[in-house]
Amino acid sequence: SNRLRREVVQSSHTATSWCAVVLSIFESMGRLPIFWLHYHQNGGTWIATCAAAQGERFLKPFLTVNHRAIPNYLNETCHSPVPCKLKAAYITIQNATFTAIERAFDPSVELCTGRFLYGTAIMHPRRFLHSALRHRPGMHPSKMLQILHGERIPKRQHHHNLCAGDKPYGDNDVNLDGQYPQYDNFYVRGLSGFSAYWLPPGSVTHAHFVAAVETLHRFDVILLLEELHLHVDQLVHTFGWQRRIVERPPLSSNGGYKPNWMNWTDVQTAWLLELNRWDLKLYEIAQRRARQLSKAAAAR
């Protein structure tokens, strides 16, 4: 809350001294608190379930959906995230161990290497493009392509309070622009902060890709959903989670949900893959890095 933030800032302790307290507490535990970057439709429910089963204490206030705790931190906005040093202080006050976001990650204010363990999970961009479409009932592929081609101008490029865009995310051609970043280099945008996330379609560049790669290389845990079995050791040895918990079958938040029957055609998919070339390159690098991290974790 704003009151809590003022109390922390006005305390006789500086932000630096608060971080020293954070480090001392978690060093005694043998592990730093976890900061999870959740990409929509990329294993967030499974990670949250594993974290809860492991006994992680979520930073409050967090999201609750259908009585299920989702560790997304709520006292911040998409365009103005809580700086990581201040968030570390909140974690100390609450004796929390885990926090998450489901929005663009801003490395300029949220990346404090050595104060958090950072983690994320992604799937292959081609698979995600199809998964994201099926999650949007009533949206025809051609309508989203009109946005991505620039034939229809998004009505709102900046969604200051809704991190992923306006509901109903394109259902029946209403608020169609609300989710276009998911179909245009979603992973690169998601590692590049709010402003880059809401760049117009086709605006992601090589410079954004390079910056995203640099940020990703500073993450401690990287999971690829297609080969999750290869990366269990990261969760076991880096996070300290029990193997019996993380080897459970992955859960989905879409239980009982009837997916959209629509799909991209081969021609549409080929065009989308070209548009998402930076995500494809990022995935290749993430795959190599994830395997390196898993190998190192298994060797501990």
Side-chain angles (χ1 to χ4, degrees):
S1 68
N2 290 333
R3 181 183 60 80
L4 177 58
R5 186 181 299 203
R6 286 195 300 271
E7 289 176 358
V8 171
V9 173
Q10 292 170 0
S11 167
S12 58
H13 294 282
T14 64
T16 301
S17 64
W18 270 111
C19 289
V21 174
V22 172
L23 289 174
S24 65
I25 290 174
F26 286 100
E27 283 174 358
S28 67
M29 291 177 52
R31 197 209 71 191
L32 294 169
I34 296 168
F35 189 127
W36 189 262
L37 168 60
H38 169 42
Y39 282 101
H40 182 63
Q41 292 290 101
N42 277 264
T45 299
W46 173 69
I47 282 291
T49 302
C50 287
Q54 180 61 38
E56 300 288 352
R57 298 180 297 277
F58 298 162
L59 180 64
K60 302 175 184 178
F62 54 79
L63 184 65
T64 301
V65 178
N66 296 326
H67 306 291
R68 184 195 299 271
I70 306 297
N72 298 353
Y73 184 62
L74 296 179
N75 269 5
E76 59 188 349
T77 64
C78 310
H79 56 90
S80 183
V82 173
C84 51
K85 291 182 179 180
L86 189 56
K87 187 169 284 188
Y90 292 169
I91 279 182
T92 302
I93 293 170
Q94 295 185 23
N95 192 27
T97 62
F98 191 102
T99 189
I101 61 172
E102 189 175 356
R103 55 165 173 76
F105 178 78
D106 188 343
S108 68
V109 297
E110 297 189 278
L111 188 58
C112 290
T113 302
R115 304 191 189 280
F116 287 95
L117 291 176
Y118 290 90
T120 193
I122 61 174
M123 68 178 72
H124 192 279
R126 176 171 183 148
R127 179 184 169 198
F128 175 75
L129 288 168
H130 287 263
S131 174
L133 179 68
R134 294 190 184 109
H135 197 64
R136 302 286 171 255
M139 186 180 76
H140 196 280
S142 64
K143 295 178 181 178
M144 178 55 71
L145 285 174
Q146 289 175 352
I147 292 287
L148 298 176
H149 276 291
E151 297 168 1
R152 295 170 55 147
I153 304 301
K155 296 185 290 296
R156 293 167 301 280
Q157 291 182 4
H158 293 279
H159 303 261
H160 288 270
N161 297 314
L162 296 169
C163 300
D166 259 334
K167 293 183 179 181
Y169 310 123
D171 294 4
N172 301 311
D173 202 20
V174 179
N175 293 332
L176 179 61
D177 60 303
Q179 286 285 300
Y180 74 81
Q182 288 192 20
Y183 303 92
D184 182 353
N185 295 287
F186 182 42
Y187 299 142
V188 171
R189 289 174 183 262
L191 285 164
S192 304
F194 176 82
S195 295
Y197 185 84
W198 286 108
L199 285 172
S203 299
V204 175
T205 66
H206 180 261
H208 295 116
F209 161 73
V210 171
V213 169
E214 291 176 355
T215 298
L216 188 66
H217 268 283
R218 296 175 68 180
F219 273 49
D220 303 281
V221 166
I222 301 171
L223 308 179
L224 300 183
L225 297 181
E226 290 87 359
E227 50 184 51
L228 198 56
H229 64 287
L230 299 178
H231 306 308
V232 168
D233 284 322
Q234 290 187 59
L235 300 176
V236 172
H237 297 291
T238 304
F239 285 176
W241 289 359
Q242 298 177 58
R243 190 174 295 275
R244 66 177 180 82
I245 290 176
V246 298
E247 287 185 341
R248 294 172 179 173
L251 297 174
S252 171
S253 62
N254 299 333
Y257 175 82
K258 184 177 180 180
N260 190 340
W261 64 268
M262 296 175 181
N263 213 335
W264 305 104
T265 67
D266 290 344
V267 172
Q268 290 170 337
T269 297
W271 185 86
L272 282 166
L273 290 176
E274 172 59 25
L275 176 67
N276 286 273
R277 59 190 178 279
W278 302 121
D279 263 9
L280 289 167
K281 292 178 181 294
L282 183 74
Y283 182 87
E284 292 175 1
I285 292 172
Q287 184 177 55
R288 291 196 296 270
R289 181 60 178 158
R291 291 176 177 178
Q292 291 171 355
L293 291 171
S294 295
K295 183 177 180 180
R300 293 175 193 163

